[in-house]
């Protein structure tokens, strides 16, 4: 009813749209001013580019130089870490080139750690004391025992350099080629055997092959620092080039056509070792002059790739001494 002041809505309150509005007194003047140019997408917090940039920065922080890289994204151009007290002291004893020795703060000292620090100091290797959390981030599994050794990227030789090095020596050429060897421990063991039995070098394929990582360094017991390891872009082509110079190419396989008892190792020789599962690839096998098998006395069908290479290298060294 009109004029009923008690009815709801009958009285207009001050400050509504239809009534008088009190001014802000200039308090909101700053809010009406321009905010300047639009910042880049990486600086706008809710933009996808900003989230990608933040994730990249976090990954770089959690992956400092020397940290083990995630599986599937490993780069052969970066440094590697040898973890654990025994592996570190063994690498330092063998003279493995290293750039830094990391020791966690508060690590309990023992004779291995003491020797590692002494050897690193004697050879001019930087000794860095870091928080344990930093070592945890730098190692992929955290099993570092408070110490880690940073090994620089390995410098591979050219396949032609191996043959030239062999020709300069007084002994006939003795080279080992690895085909489809994916375990770096097998690579390190083969390098150690080649160095022990007077070989001149090891060649590996550039793809689908183990590389000289910290694990290979450790397994080779420092032999990788004394024996050149080359990378071949095409292993089959490299073997054919070597065969054209008069070097015999001998493959290792359990079903080979030549027994180790009939093997003549006194001439320049390249021993090709295949993987345990696949053996020699087809093209590499066709390139070999002969395929060698090791006579087995027991029921074991085959040997580990590095063990088989060691047996043949030992026989080769025996024949050349005789």
């Amino acid at each position: 009813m009109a004029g009923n002041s008690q009815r709801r809505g009958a009285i207009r309150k001050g400050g509504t749209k239809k009534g008088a509005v009190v001014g802000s007194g200039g308090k909101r003047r700053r809010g009406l001013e321009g905010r300047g140019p639009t910042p880049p997408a990486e600086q706008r917090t809710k933009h996808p580019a900003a989230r990608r940039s933040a994730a990249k920065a976090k990954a770089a922080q959690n992956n400092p130089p020397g940290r083990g890289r995630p599986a599937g994204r490993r780069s052969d151009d970066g440094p590697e870490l040898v973890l654990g007290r025994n592996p570190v002291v063994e690498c330092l004893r063998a003279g493995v080139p290293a750039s830094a020795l990391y020791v966690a703060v508060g690590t309990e000292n023992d004779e291995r750690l003491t020797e590692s620090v002494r050897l690193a100091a004697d050879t001019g290797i930087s000794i860095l004391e870091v928080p344990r959390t930093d070592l945890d981030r730098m190692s992929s599994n955290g099993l570092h025992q408070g110490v880690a050794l940073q090994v620089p990227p390995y410098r591979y030789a050219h396949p032609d350099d191996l043959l030239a090095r062999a020709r300069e020596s007084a002994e006939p050429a003795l080279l080992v080629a690895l085909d489809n060897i994916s375990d770096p421990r097998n690579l390190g063991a083969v390098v150690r055997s080649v160095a022990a039995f007077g070989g001149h070098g090891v060649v590996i394929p550039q793809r689908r092959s183990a590389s000289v990582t910290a694990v290979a360094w450790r397994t080779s017991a420092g032999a990788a620092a004394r024996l050149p390891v080359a990378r071949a872009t095409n292993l089959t082509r490299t073997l054919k080039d070597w065969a054209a110079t008069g070097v015999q190419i001998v493959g290792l396989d359990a079903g080979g056509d030549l027994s180790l008892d009939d093997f003549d190792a006194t001439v320049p020789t390249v021993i090709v070792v295949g993987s345990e599962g696949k053996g020699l690839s087809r093209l590499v096998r066709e390139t070999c002059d002969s395929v060698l098998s090791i006579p087995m006395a027991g029921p074991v069908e085959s040997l580990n790739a590095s063990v088989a290479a060691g047996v043949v290298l030992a026989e080769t060294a025996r024949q050349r001494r005789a």
Side-chain angles (χ1 to χ4, degrees):
M1 179 177 178
N4 185 359
S5 62
Q6 302 299 322
R7 181 172 57 85
R8 184 178 182 182
I11 300 176
R12 182 178 298 154
K13 297 181 181 180
T16 59
K17 293 181 179 180
K18 294 184 179 181
V21 179
V22 180
S24 63
K27 294 181 180 180
R28 298 191 58 192
R29 185 181 303 168
R30 185 176 301 174
L32 299 176
E33 296 177 353
R35 299 184 180 181
T38 303
E42 292 79 5
Q43 298 180 9
R44 286 143 60 187
T45 55
K46 295 184 179 181
H47 196 280
R51 291 194 292 267
R52 290 193 296 267
S53 178
K56 185 177 180 180
K58 185 177 180 181
Q61 181 181 2
N62 294 335
N63 290 272
R67 178 183 174 178
R69 292 165 177 79
R73 301 189 64 178
R74 181 179 58 80
S75 172
D76 295 332
D77 297 329
E80 294 276 347
L81 279 183
V82 178
L83 305 175
R85 301 195 178 194
N86 279 335
V88 166
V89 73
E90 288 173 2
C91 285
L92 290 172
R93 287 172 183 170
V96 171
S99 55
L101 175 66
Y102 295 96
V103 180
V105 176
T107 300
E108 184 178 355
N109 196 7
D110 63 1
E111 58 183 11
R112 295 170 297 176
L113 182 58
T114 301
E115 184 179 359
S116 297
V117 172
R118 179 180 59 80
L119 291 173
D122 292 343
T123 54
I125 299 173
S126 300
I127 303 174
L128 305 176
E129 194 173 15
V130 297
R132 183 171 289 270
T133 53
D134 287 359
L135 268 187
D136 292 338
R137 287 197 300 266
M138 293 166 65
S139 57
S140 56
N141 51 18
L143 301 178
H144 47 72
Q145 298 178 315
V147 62
L149 185 68
Q150 182 171 289
V151 181
Y154 185 80
R155 295 185 178 180
Y156 294 94
H158 192 275
D160 294 342
D161 297 336
L162 300 187
L163 197 58
R165 182 173 184 264
R167 288 174 175 172
E168 293 174 358
S169 65
E171 294 289 331
L174 177 58
L175 303 170
V176 172
L178 302 183
D179 182 29
N180 292 323
I181 298 294
S182 58
D183 191 343
R185 290 170 295 184
N186 276 337
L187 171 59
V190 170
V191 170
R192 186 173 184 177
S193 296
V194 174
F197 294 113
H200 300 104
V202 176
V203 61
I204 60 176
Q206 190 167 357
R207 296 183 300 169
R208 295 186 297 273
S209 172
S211 55
V212 184
T213 61
V215 177
W217 271 117
R218 182 179 60 193
T219 311
S220 71
R226 303 184 299 271
L227 188 80
V229 178
R231 262 183 168 174
T233 306
N234 188 312
L235 182 60
T236 304
R237 186 185 304 121
T238 299
L239 294 177
K240 289 181 179 179
D241 293 341
W242 285 353
T245 63
V247 179
Q248 69 168 343
I249 311 297
V250 179
L252 292 186
D253 194 279
D257 53 7
L258 177 66
S259 173
L260 182 62
D261 298 334
D262 303 323
F263 173 51
D264 181 13
T266 59
V267 298
T269 304
V270 176
I271 301 171
V272 187
V273 184
S275 64
E276 294 181 49
K278 299 180 180 179
L280 299 173
S281 60
R282 181 181 60 84
L283 292 178
V284 170
R285 189 184 184 98
E286 293 174 355
T287 308
C288 295
D289 299 316
S290 58
V291 178
L292 185 67
S293 63
I294 301 174
M296 309 294 292
V300 180
E301 295 181 359
S302 63
L303 296 173
N304 174 275
S306 60
V307 174
V311 171
V312 177
L313 288 168
E315 171 63 17
T316 301
R318 185 196 65 80
Q319 292 186 23
R320 294 187 175 187
R321 286 195 307 269

